[in-house]
Amino acid sequence: MRKILYRSTQYIFSVFVGLVQNKKTDLIREENSLLKVPNLLKEKNVSNVFIVTTPGFIKRKTLEPLFHELDNLNIKYTCFTEVHPDPSVEDVENGVSSYLSNSCCAILAIGGGSVLDCAKVIGARISNPKTSVRKMRGMLKIKKPLPLYLPVPATCGTGSEVTAAAVISDTINGQHYKYAVTDLKLIPNLAILDSNLLKTLPDNMLVTTSMDALTHSLEAYTNLFASKAVVKDSLESIKLIFENIDSALANRDSKSLDNLLYGSTLAGIAITHNFVGYVHALAHAIGAMYGLAHGYLNSIILPVLLKEYENKIEKKMK
């Protein structure tokens, strides 16, 4: 009886997201597309932008060309780098405080899933100041749209640049948790895909984030209620990841990296119009307990659960 209830609920939600999640993120997809952002900001009359990124990007001076273009257009900017690998409620609140104290009016997020997720929830808190992060936990708890938010993924795994969710870490009564904040208002209108940012990505991060994207696609594809659109995006994503991960790892060439990055974005679109599954559920729980990388855990758990699903997914997997 319980199984029927769960499956019925999942089916209803699958139909619901298929009907309402028609919002598609426009993509700027080319090498060095990050340098188009200053002109975009100028067109939208943004005079002061809040840049959420990692200390590594600042230290390696990767963003110096971007800063130069912002200076040329007289656009002020504040860099916020206090984001942990598993972004916490405290990270979000520190970001909100920095955004407001520097009188910013837009958010530019450059980094992996942690940076993009943290930036999303910072934006949600800014536009919904009376709603705490904990009250945003779950689905459809964000009432007002975010300020202008431009995500630039710097890994090839999260898909956060197109998804309606952000994962946040929290400590409640001494217990560590990771939970999702899920709302259609978190889907950006525009995302920038710049394969150049992946060229200096460490090998282990390139592999584990790619495995995260592959898990997104496989879980969306094998879902009992996957729509034709989800199946199409998932299969294209799987193909792009399999065909490009070796060459991207060996050569760091622009074409392979761009294909991996686009494969990750397609996987993000697929799970936004469907769901992830038990692999992600276990990976989030274990990651919260032991602080292990999400894509690393996915890659360990995925083959075990695919074997467990064997009879149910045999036709699809063939």
Side-chain angles (χ1 to χ4, degrees), residues 40 45 50 57 65 69 81 101 112 122 135 137 151 184 199 235 261 269 274 278 292 299:
L40 283 171
N45 298 313
F50 188 67
F57 274 128
E69 290 298 316
T81 61
S101 63
I122 289 171
K135 287 183 179 179
R137 178 180 181 175
L184 301 179
K199 289 186 176 179
L235 288 176
L261 192 55
I269 293 170
N274 203 241
Y278 290 134
L292 295 170
S299 65

Side-chain angles (χ1 to χ4, degrees), residues 248-264:
L249 188 61
N251 307 316
R252 289 297 198 278
D253 60 291
S254 297
K255 183 178 180 181
S256 298
L257 291 172
D258 177 66
N259 284 335
L260 270 186
L261 192 55
Y262 185 52
S264 170

Side-chain angles (χ1 to χ4, degrees), residues 80-94:
F80 178 76
T81 61
E82 300 169 34
V83 182
H84 289 89
D86 289 318
S88 65
V89 173
E90 185 179 5
D91 296 341
V92 171
E93 296 305 325
N94 288 338

Side-chain angles (χ1 to χ4, degrees), residues 57-58 60-69:
F57 274 128
I58 304 298
R60 294 191 299 270
K61 298 186 177 181
T62 307
L63 304 182
E64 287 300 317
L66 170 69
F67 298 155
H68 180 70
E69 290 298 316

Side-chain angles (χ1 to χ4, degrees), residues 172-211:
I172 303 173
N173 298 324
Q175 184 69 43
H176 295 288
Y177 294 92
K178 284 178 78 172
Y179 52 75
V181 175
T182 305
D183 198 288
L184 301 179
K185 295 181 183 68
L186 294 180
I187 302 176
N189 292 317
L190 178 68
I192 293 88
L193 304 185
D194 187 345
S195 61
N196 196 51
L197 295 174
L198 274 59
K199 289 186 176 179
T200 57
L201 204 62
D203 288 357
N204 67 320
M205 195 173 291
L206 182 74
V207 172
T208 55
T209 56
S210 295
M211 285 302 300

Side-chain angles (χ1 to χ4, degrees), residues 8-46:
S8 299
T9 303
Q10 187 183 25
Y11 172 73
I12 290 168
F13 270 105
S14 294
V15 172
F16 173 73
V17 295
L19 290 174
V20 303
Q21 290 188 357
N22 294 319
K23 180 178 178 181
K24 277 240 177 182
T25 302
D26 292 328
L27 302 175
I28 297 178
R29 178 192 172 196
E30 57 189 70
E31 195 173 7
N32 292 318
S33 57
L34 177 61
L35 297 183
K36 292 192 172 185
V37 169
N39 282 318
L40 283 171
L41 294 173
K42 196 72 175 179
E43 289 170 9
K44 296 181 181 296
N45 298 313
V46 173

Side-chain angles (χ1 to χ4, degrees), residues 285-292:
I286 296 170
M289 292 172 67
Y290 298 106
L292 295 170

